[in-house]
Amino acid sequence: MEARAVLHALRGLRGYTRSPYVWAASLLLVASPIVFMKLGLPFYANMVFLALMYGIAAMAWNLMQGYTGLFSLGHAVFFGVGAYTTMILAKYYGVTPWLGIWAAGVLAAAVGFLLGFPLFRLRSHWFTLATIAVAEIFKLLFAHWGYVGGSAGLQMPIVGPDEQLYYLQYPGPYIYVYVALLVLLVELVVLYAVVNSKIGLYLQTIREDELVAQTLGVDTFRYKMIAMVVSGFFTGLAGALYAVRFRFVDPFAVFDLITISTYIAVAGIVGGIYTFIGPLVGAFIFVPAAEYVRATIVQAFPRVFGLHVVIVGVILLVISLFVPEGVVGYLQRRAGTVRSRG
């Protein structure tokens, strides 16, 4: 990426800092791990970490769905590849996760590049179905691949206090919230630069009508590939954060259709798929709600299997009825209505 594009993105993102809501949310985010640690509330700190992890992946997913019109339900592929890359580098080769996280993004992006060739031959719902199939294929492959532990998965080696910083191993979720914030900051700059550049304009043209874009001379395959690679890179980073935080990966967790691919898409839809910051906001609405409902309902009704999923489904139904354009999309529409009346 050109330095000029990065500087432009930083200037553009500076506009967000004029909002008192953004300042308040940022301060809460930075302070939350310290507050939760002092109060002895690791569950809530873990909620913040999970919201950040899914928010990073949802923003990456939105580059394909919201900006390019490619509806993927197979982002678990990138997530899982990122998680396994960080784990393997640390476990087998002693590579610090500080480097492994970024290597995970690169390998996930490479997988996205290779998958783009067959997947971009498909359109509409066939593309979506193919992404689900690819994610399931990856899950089965990893479940039968002995090198990555098969269905039993891999466990990060436990290290002593003198190696905690190198292997990024700390008790509780508190430090990992700051690591996720660092990754999110990088993503915000890169994605803002992409969507506010010529590339972003071409992606939105493809979303509106791919045939028209081709008629206008846009190399649609090339720009869809860019969206896939960038989206895969940051989803891979989210998977790497999962491996670092939980120190265990198995194919049924990191390639899962529901808790990975669907969660990522739902977070993006709840927040607003045609907005830049919407998927991040959606992750902070959907993930804590789902986690809280799961923890309380399962504890209260342990014999009623799946009840928490039903309740989360009802919450999503209510959101979809009242704000079908997503929370941020709704707020932007309301703000536009107020301005037009003024």
Side-chain angles (χ1 to χ4, degrees), residues 173-249:
Y174 312 106
I175 297 294
Y176 302 104
V177 172
Y178 293 110
V179 178
L181 280 172
L182 173 65
V183 172
L184 175 64
L185 187 62
V186 173
E187 183 184 37
L188 286 171
V189 173
V190 173
L191 287 189
Y192 192 90
V194 169
V195 302
N196 289 282
S197 67
K198 181 178 68 176
I199 297 173
L201 180 64
Y202 287 163
L203 295 181
Q204 292 173 70
T205 306
I206 294 169
R207 179 192 68 197
E208 295 302 318
D209 195 318
E210 187 169 347
L211 290 176
V212 170
Q214 290 172 346
T215 306
L216 293 173
V218 176
D219 186 343
T220 57
F221 178 83
R222 177 187 177 191
Y223 288 101
K224 287 195 293 186
M225 187 65 87
I226 290 173
M228 176 82 101
V229 168
V230 175
S231 185
F233 177 80
F234 285 108
T235 309
L237 295 190
L241 290 174
Y242 176 95
V244 169
R245 164 70 185 93
F246 297 105
R247 303 172 202 164
F248 175 78
V249 295

Side-chain angles (χ1 to χ4, degrees), residues 23 33 43 47 92 97 186 270 323 336-337 341:
W23 272 105
F43 176 77
M47 262 190 197
Y92 293 161
V186 173
V270 167
V323 286
T337 304
R341 287 175 181 171

Side-chain angles (χ1 to χ4, degrees), residues 109-132:
V111 169
F113 176 78
L114 295 175
L115 290 177
F117 288 96
L119 291 180
F120 291 155
R121 298 174 68 88
L122 304 170
R123 302 287 178 89
S124 186
H125 54 285
W126 295 112
F127 174 86
T128 305
L129 291 175
T131 59
I132 296 173

Side-chain angles (χ1 to χ4, degrees), residues 150-174:
S151 58
L154 293 174
Q155 176 84 44
M156 193 79 81
I158 306 300
V159 300
D162 55 327
E163 292 183 301
Q164 279 187 332
L165 179 61
Y166 183 82
Y167 281 101
L168 202 51
Q169 287 191 16
Y170 295 94
Y174 312 106

